Amino acid sequence: MEKDNVNQIKTIRTDYSKFELTKSHVDENPLTQFEIWLGEAIQSNPNTANCMTLATVSVDEMPTTRIVLLRDLSFNGLTFFTNYESRKAKEINHNPKACVNFFWPELERQVRVEGILQFLPQQESDEYFNSRPFESKVGAWVSKQSKAIENRNELDSKYHELLQFYSGKHVPRPANWGGYVLIPTLFEFWQGRPNRLHDRIQYVKEASINKWKIERISP
Ligand SMILES: Cc1cc2nc3c(=O)[nH]c(=O)nc-3n(C[C@H](O)[C@H](O)[C@H](O)COP(=O)(O)O)c2cc1C
């Protein structure tokens, strides 16, 4: 039965026809354009609109990806939070270039953002950490993200021990947990169109003049 389902992948076809995208209708600032699309994505599906696939590059130049949640658009970039000792963090320490991708199927849209990752100022990481539910804060102390562990029980027993330890107390932000900001150098806005002739509008940062060059690229 599962195999029958999988066999369908050769024939599943979706034609995209909901919207179009032109150079004359996008904002000249890609962050503003991104905010417009993100707002529409949140309206169409608030559960997944801020999920982004984050690509980094390992020391031996292997690309790696994982989903993280976009949490802010201040500091002229895209902020997410993670563990500063995770696999991704080690890769970012080695090479701060990164790329994120959003897919908003209800709107037949995707967005690619390339850029350079910087640490979020500690005060902002503290503020965000303090806004999280008690259980998530404790969870941040429990997880040695990306490291091998013996079994599930190791996690659960540490979690319950720390739940008791912090009960009724302030949970501080672990030093190895905080935010990164992706400072964009390239945006691509992709709008699905009929017959695979999609609209793609790309912004490339021209660093020497601090301006964005906007062009249509072929599907
Ligand atoms: C919907 C979703 C949201 C996630 N959000 C985050 C997040 O905001 N930060 C994070 O560190 N991991 C998040 N994760 C887990 C990551 O995908 C990943 O497993 C983890 O960060 C370890 O990645 P690494 O070993 O490549 O460093 C999320 C996973 C999913 C499926």
Side-chain angles (χ1 to χ4, degrees), residues 51 66-69 81-82 86-88 145-146:
C51 293
R66 76 290 288 153
I67 304 277
V68 291
L69 297 176
F81 293 90
T82 193
S86 62
R87 175 174 178 173
K88 75 181 88 49
Q145 196 176 60
S146 317

Side-chain angles (χ1 to χ4, degrees), residues 88-112:
K88 75 181 88 49
K90 288 188 175 129
E91 295 182 357
I92 294 164
N93 282 344
H94 178 73
N95 178 354
K97 290 181 179 166
C99 182
V100 296
N101 188 276
F102 295 83
F103 177 42
W104 295 315
E106 294 82 1
L107 301 172
E108 303 175 344
R109 287 175 179 168
Q110 76 171 325
V111 177
R112 168 197 281 161

